[in-house]
Amino acid sequence: MIAIKISSLGKSSFADVSEFVLFIWNIKVLQQFIDLVEKSCVQLKENPDLGIPFSKKIRKIVLHKNASMYYEYDEMNKVITILLFIDNRQNPKDYLKLL
């Protein structure tokens, strides 16, 4: 079975995007965002290559037109590591250099 873990950068960027969603919209929209993340994780467990290739090891899933999630899959250990969440409306160069 494939396990999913989240890096420290993934945790902090998830918190940043979540806080922004809550600040701009409301708790209902935040819950929809969380549901999208959870749904994507379930789909990734079934098909780890689902995301769009970003680099040799890193893939991207567009959760919503305003948010994306970057992850890598360790096939040998069967572990998906969520690396980063970004707000697609911001300059991606600022975030992607962290990968």
Side-chain angles (χ1 to χ4, degrees):
M1 179 167 193
I2 296 174
I4 294 184
K5 67 179 190 173
I6 186 165
S7 69
S8 58
L9 178 60
K11 288 177 186 176
S12 64
S13 61
F14 177 79
D16 290 345
V17 172
S18 296
E19 287 174 17
F20 180 74
V21 168
L22 189 56
F23 178 76
I24 297 298
W25 291 286
N26 57 42
I27 193 74
K28 183 179 177 184
V29 176
L30 175 59
Q31 186 58 54
Q32 290 171 348
F33 171 68
I34 293 168
D35 292 344
L36 287 172
V37 172
E38 290 174 348
K39 180 181 175 186
S40 294
C41 288
V42 168
Q43 291 173 334
L44 282 176
K45 282 185 168 188
E46 295 173 9
N47 182 6
D49 296 324
L50 182 67
I52 302 162
F54 173 72
S55 69
K56 189 172 182 177
K57 292 184 175 187
I58 299 172
R59 291 181 170 267
K60 169 185 172 180
I61 288 190
V62 178
L63 300 167
H64 181 271
K65 68 181 181 180
N66 295 333
S68 293
M69 176 176 78
Y70 290 81
Y71 71 95
E72 64 184 354
Y73 176 52
D74 178 351
E75 194 169 354
M76 178 184 261
N77 294 312
K78 299 204 180 294
V79 175
I80 293 169
T81 304
I82 298 171
L83 303 171
L84 180 68
F85 292 88
I86 67 164
D87 182 334
N88 293 332
R89 296 167 294 173
Q90 295 179 344
N91 186 350
K93 291 180 183 176
D94 294 340
Y95 288 101
L96 301 182
K97 65 184 175 188
L98 299 173
L99 296 174

